[in-house]
């Protein structure tokens, strides 16, 4: 699953055969009854708010029971009977068990094999993207399902945990002109009365409830060919076929590369890729992957250079889940990383094989640096976290599971060796195909191919939060030795406890005119690595070879200067970006002086590669941050103009014919940075004109520059521009353009206009699922407007809560405390805490969001205290 929202579930361990109880379960089902097969039959008509359903659940009741507990939410049960394998049927009464469970009670105990038959009615939501819901596109309605992690129970009563993995047989009754799809191909289709038809799908291989899926609507079909025997189709809302060309090209190529890597053919009979008119979402249902429209479709006339890359990443992620997650399913949600970290690792690895010139190794480094920011907090979670509540389930789908998990896998791949690692992956998938697995199963497979027990090292990263910082010093003599030590990397003012890891450390160094590579494992606080290829002091040493290790490096003595000598020309782009990223992170922790970090900017701002320029810009952004005294911020902007202004002005907002992709990407990063953070007046003026022209004529700005150009124009824009954008976004039908315009509407630095933009969250004109992020969190980026979203939430909380999706897997309310994410004063922190402390208990995953936000404010206050004098000294001299 890919989502901007953070969600999940988890639990306590439960014995497999405990005695069934009249008390409803707390978090998990007790295992006394086990499903072996489901046949579900649903009547789904788009544009209706309810559906009819029946479920025949084949059961093995292992302990005689007069009540069977299942999961069900929002289902109105009309009839239920249990038909034993032999003997008379028994009617069942239903017993409500909290908000997640439903009991089926009998007058006498039942046991052994039988079928529980349930007839019921359920809801089709219009405000949420969880359970069974409907979306509208161009006046037509489409029904979709989305069940991960715990929303299958909104579609049918079921054993809604990933370890209950059994075959499903789905039949849908739908309007005769609609297309109906599920995980498997259609087995039969028959006409029914009242303009309906019955579509019966083939039985599925074993699936957990969260991977069952269906969709109904007036779709168009785009053929994407075959890979081996597997037919591939892209399923689009009516009239959108022309926008599916990139998807139809990328999907078969990426699937072929995945099959080659994994060494197991695609596990299901067909693969449909279904477009949903929502933003920023995808789900790996077996054989029926769903994607957000803006991810999968693009109008060839307005497609951005990034879109093809993002599309390939998302498709590789979801398709890799067909093995990691679907064929082999995590046994319980504490190992969500076994699905998500692997899919995240694959989303760059496979597109990187397909298009080597995309430099996805650099994207990986940036993702690691990004994950470390959340992982440095004392409130960070472990990759593998015990699940004790719905909050834990909601929290498990976060950056730590995805990005830290992906980075840790990459580190072990490099350390064990890519070929051995691949053999381990293949062995693990083959051994557990069609079943469930745990982290221990994966580690066992990997230890076997590695020829050593990798579990202690792997577990040190899975089971504790935090970022290791590795400090290096060189002892030169006849046999040079690298002295390494580790500690937990902590921001200034952090209350997190110290800890250590077993860190796979791979180094590269140049000695005797050759570059040498070697790997070792740092198991203690301190260690020594003998540089076996060197007879005298190496010319330079890179202590994170290929920048694949999940640790930050603190260089002692002259080692930083040496590794970056000659513009770091002996390093790859990914390595240069990784070294600069470490310097940037450590400077905000007081481990590297701001002077040292900023001294790198003039040189690397001129790098030919846009990734490196961006890394230099990230360091320069220190001078625009909270720690810069307000009277010196104008000087900070001047520094940015002086370092980057010439290149940005030469590039301008408008691309020229025949430019390379890299030049276009450099423009996309650099021009808005210099205009916004450097407050470069010429670029701002040009941009204002371009934005007005584009809003009037839809011409003048290329697709790549549209989002940054509208956003920066809004930053400096007036009421006229606001009104034009507001009208345009309400009328716009194209998802991508609506996203771009909402992003701009959330970027006005004029406080009055920022307030006016927030009012749109309560308007019927825009779906709150699209407007929530850009409008509510946009204004927190600027000093002049950062208090406004919290004021808005305090004033309109009840109205907002009524409009927001509130499911466990998709609870928008849990994000609300982040309106204070850029506060940096004690009084604001206390006000945020006072307002939310009790309220977040009702938001799924909310307590952690609040804790993280409050910690972020404390750290900001501490960082400002420690960094302000140094930054002031730098700017005063400048
Ligand atoms: Zn995923």
């Amino acid at each position: 699953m890919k989502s901007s929202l953070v969600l999940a579930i988890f639990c306590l361990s439960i014995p497999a055969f405990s005695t069934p109880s009249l008390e409803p379960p707390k978090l998990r089902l007790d295992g006394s009854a086990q499903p072996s097969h489901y046949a579900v039959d649903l009547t789904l008509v788009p544009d209706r708010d309810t559906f009819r359903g029946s479920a025949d659940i084949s059961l093995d009741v292992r302990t005689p029971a007069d009540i069977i507990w299942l999961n069900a939410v929002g289902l109105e049960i009309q009839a239920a009977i249990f038909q034993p394998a032999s003997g008379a049927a028994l009617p069942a009464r239903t017993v409500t068990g909290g908000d997640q469970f439903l009991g089926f009670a009998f007058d006498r105990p039942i046991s052994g094999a039988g079928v529980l038959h349930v007839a019921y009615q359920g809801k089709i939501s219009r405000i949420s993207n969880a359970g069974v819901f409907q979306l509208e596109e161009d006046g037509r309605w489409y029904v979709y399902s989305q069940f991960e992690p715990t929303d299958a129970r909104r579609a049918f009563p079921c054993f809604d945990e990933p370890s209950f993995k059994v075959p499903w047989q789905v039949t849908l009754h739908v309007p005769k002109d609609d297309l109906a799809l599920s995980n498997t191909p259609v087995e039969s289709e028959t006409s029914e009365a009242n303009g309906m038809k019955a579509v019966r799908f083939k039985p599925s291989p074993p699936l957990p409830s969260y991977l069952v899926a269906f969709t109904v609507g007036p779709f168009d079909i785009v053929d994407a060919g075959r890979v081996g025997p597997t037919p591939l189709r892209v399923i689009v809302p009516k009239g959108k076929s022309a926008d599916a060309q990139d998807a139809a090209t990328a999907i078969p190529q990426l699937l072929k590369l995945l099959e080659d890597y994994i060494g197991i053919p695609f596990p299901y009979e067909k693969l449909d890729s279904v477009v949903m008119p929502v933003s920023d979402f995808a789900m790996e249902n077996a054989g029926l992957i769903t994607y957000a429209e803006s991810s999968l479709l693009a109008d060839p006339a307005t497609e951005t250079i990034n879109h093809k890359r993002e599309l390939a990443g998302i498709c590789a992620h979801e398709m890799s889940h067909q093995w990691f997650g679907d064929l082999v399913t995590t046994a319980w949600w504490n190992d969500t990383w076994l699905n998500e970290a692997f899919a995240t690792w694959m989303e760059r690895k496979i597109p990187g094989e397909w298009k080597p010139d995309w430099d996805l190794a650099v994207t990986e480094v940036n993702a690691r640096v990004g994950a470390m920011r959340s992982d440095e907090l004392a409130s960070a979670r472990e990759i593998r976290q015990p699940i004790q509540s719905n909050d834990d389930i909601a929290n498990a789908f976060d950056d730590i599971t995805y990005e830290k998990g992906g980075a840790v896998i990459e580190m072990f791949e490099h350390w064990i060796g890519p070929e051995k690692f691949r053999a381990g992956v293949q062995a693990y998938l083959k051994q557990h195909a069609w079943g469930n697995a745990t982290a221990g199963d994966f580690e066992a497979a990997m230890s076997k191919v590695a020829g050593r027990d990798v579990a202690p090292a792997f577990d040190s990263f899975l089971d504790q939060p935090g970022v290791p910082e590795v400090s290096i010093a060189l002892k030169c003599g006849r046999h040079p030795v690298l002295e390494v030590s580790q500690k937990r990397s902590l921001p200034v003012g952090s209350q997190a406890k110290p800890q250590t890891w077993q860190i796979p450390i791979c180094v590269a160094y140049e000695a005797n005119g050759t570059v040498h590579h070697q790997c070792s494992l740092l198991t203690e606080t301190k260690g020594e690595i003998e540089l076996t290829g060197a007879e005298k002091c190496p010319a330079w040493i890179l202590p994170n070879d290929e920048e694949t290790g999940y640790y930050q490096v603190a260089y002692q003595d002259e080692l930083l200067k040496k590794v970056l000598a000659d513009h770091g020309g002996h390093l790859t782009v990914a390595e240069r970006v990784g070294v600069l990223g470490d310097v940037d992170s450590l400077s905000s922790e007081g481990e590297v002086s701001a002077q040292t970090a900023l001294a790198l900017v003039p040189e690397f701002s001129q790098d030919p590669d846009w990734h490196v320029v961006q890394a230099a810009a990230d360091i320069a952004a220190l001078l625009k941050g909270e720690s810069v005294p307000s009277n010196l911020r104008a000087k900070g902007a001047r520094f940015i103009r002086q370092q980057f202004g010439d290149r940005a002005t030469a590039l301008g907002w408008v691309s020229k014919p025949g430019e390379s992709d890299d030049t276009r990407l450099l423009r996309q990063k650099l021009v808005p940075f210099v205009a916004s953070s450097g407050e470069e007046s010429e670029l701002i003026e040009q941009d204002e004109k371009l934005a007005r022209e584009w809003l009037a004529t839809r011409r003048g700005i290329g697709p790549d520059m549209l989002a940054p150009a509208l956003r920066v124009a809004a930053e400096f824009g007036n009421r006229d521009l606001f009104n034009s954008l507001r009208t345009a976004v309400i009328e716009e039908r194209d998802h991508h353009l609506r996203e771009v315009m909402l992003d701009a509407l959330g970027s006005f630095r004029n406080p009055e206009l920022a307030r006016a933009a927030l009012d749109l969250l309560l308007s019927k004109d825009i779906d709150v699922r699209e407007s929530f992020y850009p409008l509510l969190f946009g204004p927190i980026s600027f000093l002049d407007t950062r208090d406004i979203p919290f004021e808005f939430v305090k004033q309109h909380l009840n109205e907002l809560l009524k409009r927001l999706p509130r499911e466990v897997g998709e609870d928008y309310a849990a994000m609300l405390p982040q309106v204070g994410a850029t506060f940096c004063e004690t009084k604001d922190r206390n006000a945020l805490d006072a307002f939310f402390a009790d309220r977040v208990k009702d938001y799924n995953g909310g307590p952690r969001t609040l804790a993280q936000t409050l910690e972020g404010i404390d750290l900001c206050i501490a960082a400002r205290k420690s960094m302000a004098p140094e930054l002031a000294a730098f700017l005063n001299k400048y």
Side-chain angles (χ1 to χ4, degrees):
M1 182 161 70
K2 291 284 278 185
S3 167
S4 56
L5 278 175
V6 169
L7 324 163
I9 58 178
F10 281 78
C11 99
L12 305 163
S13 67
I14 300 286
F17 298 96
S18 65
T19 309
S21 157
L22 284 172
E23 281 294 303
K26 294 277 180 291
L27 184 64
R28 293 192 74 166
L29 297 165
D30 65 12
S32 60
Q34 304 254 337
S36 58
H37 181 270
Y38 291 84
V40 298
D41 190 292
L42 308 175
T43 301
L44 293 166
V45 181
D47 201 22
R48 296 228 179 120
D49 292 327
T50 58
F51 66 92
R52 267 188 292 122
S54 77
D56 287 331
I57 309 170
S58 305
L59 294 179
D60 176 14
V61 183
R62 298 180 172 183
T63 314
D66 45 22
I67 187 163
I68 305 279
W69 289 103
L70 272 75
N71 294 110
V73 172
L75 303 181
E76 211 178 286
I77 306 298
Q78 287 149 348
I81 52 164
F82 181 72
Q83 175 63 62
S86 58
L90 273 85
R93 285 173 288 115
T94 53
V95 182
T96 306
D99 57 355
Q100 302 291 321
F101 299 97
L102 188 66
F104 292 90
F106 304 96
D107 287 342
R108 55 186 168 81
I110 60 167
S111 66
V115 175
L116 178 66
H117 174 83
V118 188
Y120 60 97
Q121 182 171 292
K123 295 192 186 81
I124 307 182
S125 175
R126 285 179 201 240
I127 62 163
S128 154
N129 296 341
V132 184
F133 59 97
Q134 55 191 320
L135 295 162
E136 181 253 316
E137 175 96 333
D138 295 330
R140 300 179 187 94
W141 287 90
Y142 299 82
V143 170
Y144 299 88
S145 66
Q146 164 58 36
F147 295 159
E148 192 184 26
T150 59
D151 288 313
R153 61 192 69 173
R154 292 172 189 275
F156 21 73
C158 59
F159 295 79
D160 201 6
E161 295 179 13
S163 61
F164 296 109
K165 206 172 166 185
V166 300
W168 292 71
Q169 202 268 301
V170 175
T171 302
L172 301 180
H173 305 268
V174 305
K176 71 176 175 33
D177 294 331
D178 278 353
L179 186 67
L181 300 169
S182 186
N183 306 86
T184 54
V186 173
E187 189 175 81
S188 68
E189 201 169 299
T190 42
S191 289
E192 295 185 316
N194 304 326
M196 299 287 285
K197 64 181 174 185
V199 184
R200 183 185 164 90
F201 297 92
K202 289 173 140 181
S204 78
L207 291 178
S209 48
Y210 84 88
L211 288 170
V212 174
F214 47 80
T215 186
V216 181
F219 291 103
D220 285 341
I221 298 174
V222 177
D223 184 4
R226 277 173 189 270
V227 168
T230 311
L232 308 173
R233 304 188 296 178
V234 185
I235 310 295
V236 301
K238 194 155 209 62
K240 299 272 179 176
S241 299
D243 296 351
Q245 280 323 304
D246 281 347
T249 307
I251 286 169
Q253 310 237 26
L254 295 165
L255 187 63
K256 179 80 183 58
L257 290 168
L258 272 165
E259 282 194 340
D260 289 349
Y261 181 88
I262 292 167
I264 301 174
F266 181 76
Y268 304 99
E269 246 185 277
K270 56 98 181 170
L271 177 58
D272 290 326
S273 302
V274 180
V275 169
M276 301 200 289
V278 292
S279 303
D280 198 15
F281 188 83
M283 177 66 205
E284 68 268 22
N285 313 299
L288 188 79
I289 302 177
T290 46
Y291 294 95
E293 179 163 331
S294 49
S295 309
L296 207 66
L297 301 186
D299 176 348
T302 57
E303 185 177 18
T304 66
I305 194 167
N306 289 324
H307 187 265
K308 273 193 179 68
R309 300 173 185 209
E310 288 161 8
L311 182 150
I314 292 166
C315 291
H317 179 112
E318 301 307 329
M319 290 195 293
S320 73
H321 272 312
Q322 304 291 308
W323 291 268
F324 296 105
D326 297 6
L327 179 66
V328 179
T329 305
T330 177
W332 179 235
W333 298 112
N334 60 339
D335 272 329
T336 297
W337 74 278
L338 273 174
N339 295 359
E340 298 302 348
F342 275 87
T344 303
W345 169 63
M346 280 296 194
E347 85 188 34
R348 293 180 278 259
K349 185 179 189 67
I350 296 296
E353 282 179 25
W354 184 39
K355 302 280 182 185
D357 60 322
W358 285 354
D359 280 333
L360 294 179
V362 193
T363 312
E364 262 163 26
V365 171
N366 285 327
R368 165 173 68 75
V369 171
M372 285 175 165
R373 297 230 160 96
S374 5
D375 199 18
E376 278 180 345
L377 296 180
S379 52
R381 31 177 300 282
E382 306 88 343
I383 293 176
R384 181 170 58 188
Q385 192 194 24
I387 298 290
Q388 291 167 357
S389 67
N390 274 345
D391 282 331
D392 293 336
I393 299 176
N395 290 138
F397 291 80
D398 71 351
D399 244 20
I400 296 296
T401 299
Y402 285 72
E403 297 298 348
K404 180 182 180 182
V408 166
I409 289 173
E410 202 200 354
M411 168 167 70
F412 279 90
E413 181 195 22
H414 189 199
W415 182 62
I416 291 169
E419 279 314 310
K420 278 189 185 169
F421 192 86
R422 177 177 159 176
V425 166
Q426 293 186 346
Y428 158 78
L429 290 172
K430 283 191 180 126
Q431 203 177 340
H432 301 282
W434 308 113
N436 295 88
T438 63
D441 294 326
F442 175 74
E443 290 170 342
M446 212 38 88
S447 297
K448 205 165 175 189
V449 294
R452 64 188 293 178
D453 183 6
V454 302
F458 223 103
D459 288 344
S460 78
F461 284 86
L462 292 179
D463 293 338
Q464 49 183 4
V467 179
E469 178 181 319
V470 173
S471 181
I472 60 154
L474 194 57
K475 207 166 61 185
C476 285
R478 284 194 47 193
H479 298 288
V481 166
L482 192 65
E483 296 178 323
V484 290
S485 61
Q486 60 160 309
K487 63 172 188 173
R488 183 170 182 180
S489 172
L490 294 177
V492 176
S494 172
Q495 305 291 318
K497 64 179 194 331
Q499 61 194 30
T500 56
W501 289 259
Q502 295 201 11
I503 309 174
I505 293 185
C506 294
V507 302
Y509 54 94
E510 186 184 325
N512 318 322
T514 320
V515 178
H516 303 263
H517 304 267
Q518 66 185 73
C519 289
S520 53
L521 187 69
L522 178 61
T523 55
E524 308 295 329
T525 314
K526 287 180 192 309
E528 292 197 335
I529 300 172
E530 193 186 337
L531 302 180
T532 49
E535 280 155 17
K536 58 178 177 128
C537 217
W540 53 265
I541 176 152
L542 176 68
N544 191 350
D545 190 17
E546 297 184 24
E547 290 289 328
T548 54
Y550 190 80
Y551 50 89
Q552 290 172 345
V553 176
Y555 294 82
Q556 304 305 313
D557 310 318
E558 296 291 292
L559 293 176
L560 178 63
K561 213 173 251 176
K562 283 185 175 172
V563 79
L564 290 177
D566 301 324
H567 194 74
H570 43 270
L571 305 179
T572 64
V573 171
E575 288 168 344
R576 261 178 282 164
V577 168
V579 174
L580 293 177
D582 280 353
V583 170
D584 187 20
S585 304
L586 294 176
S587 71
S588 40
E589 285 167 31
E591 300 263 340
V592 170
S593 76
Q595 295 277 2
T596 305
L598 289 164
L600 297 170
V601 173
E603 182 179 0
F604 291 96
S605 65
Q606 303 308 314
D607 196 282
D609 191 282
W610 66 268
H611 300 93
V612 181
V613 178
Q614 189 180 10
D618 289 345
I619 295 176
L622 276 176
L623 294 174
K624 288 292 286 180
E626 185 67 42
S627 303
V628 178
S630 51
N631 63 325
L632 291 172
R633 294 213 174 110
K635 274 193 158 187
R638 197 178 79 194
F639 177 86
I640 288 167
R641 287 198 299 278
Q642 288 184 340
Q643 300 305 326
F644 300 92
D646 287 351
R647 286 185 93 176
T649 317
L651 286 161
W653 289 96
V654 181
S655 64
K656 299 159 188 76
E659 279 178 343
S660 68
D661 283 3
D662 285 335
T663 302
R664 290 162 64 195
L665 288 165
L666 176 65
R667 170 181 298 107
Q668 199 185 50
K669 305 295 168 192
L670 198 57
V671 171
F673 173 66
V674 172
S676 172
S677 296
E679 298 177 17
E680 161 56 64
S681 54
E682 196 185 318
L683 289 175
I684 294 169
E685 272 168 43
Q686 285 172 10
D687 185 29
E688 276 181 331
K689 283 194 199 109
L690 287 166
R692 278 177 208 293
E693 187 193 331
W694 186 85
L695 284 164
T697 65
R698 297 293 166 97
R699 285 165 195 272
I701 309 177
D704 298 323
M705 294 303 286
L706 183 63
L710 292 187
R711 189 179 64 242
V712 174
E715 276 189 45
F716 300 98
N718 59 17
R719 172 70 72 171
D720 277 354
L721 183 74
F722 178 87
N723 288 341
S724 310
L725 269 168
R726 188 183 189 283
T727 310
V729 79
I730 291 169
E731 288 170 0
E732 182 57 56
R733 303 306 312 153
D734 181 277
H735 272 268
H736 169 67
L737 291 180
R738 274 212 304 276
E739 275 178 31
V740 165
M741 289 191 254
L742 284 168
D743 186 41
L745 276 168
S747 302
F748 281 85
R749 290 203 211 179
N750 175 325
E752 197 188 321
L753 299 176
R755 282 191 194 97
L758 283 165
D759 288 339
L760 288 171
L761 284 170
L762 303 176
S763 131
K764 288 211 165 57
D765 295 328
I766 301 173
D767 189 329
V768 72
R769 287 168 286 189
E770 288 188 316
S771 57
F772 182 71
Y773 278 95
L775 297 189
L776 190 61
F777 300 107
I780 71 171
S781 307
F782 307 111
L783 284 177
D784 294 339
T785 54
R786 75 172 168 199
D787 298 338
I788 294 174
F790 183 36
E791 284 167 21
F792 178 84
V793 168
K794 280 191 287 190
Q795 224 174 339
H796 299 288
L797 182 68
N798 290 339
E799 280 166 277
L800 261 180
L801 289 178
K802 261 184 240 154
R803 295 172 60 83
L804 296 176
R806 298 296 319 275
E807 282 73 18
V808 175
E810 196 195 34
D811 192 347
Y812 281 52
M815 304 293 113
L816 291 174
Q818 288 182 356
V819 290
T822 58
F823 288 172
C824 207
E825 301 291 344
T826 307
K827 69 171 174 38
D828 295 333
R829 177 212 192 274
N830 294 343
L832 192 77
D833 192 18
F835 184 78
F836 280 114
D838 281 337
R839 290 183 167 97
V840 288
K841 292 175 192 158
D842 297 331
Y843 309 161
N844 294 294
R848 180 177 294 275
T849 321
L850 178 62
Q852 287 175 330
T853 307
L854 295 177
E855 188 188 349
I857 301 171
D858 292 338
L859 294 176
C860 180
I861 296 167
R864 184 175 53 208
K865 215 167 169 183
S866 99
M867 289 185 74
E870 212 186 332
L871 292 170
F874 180 88
L875 286 170
N876 277 324
K877 258 190 275 164
Y878 180 69

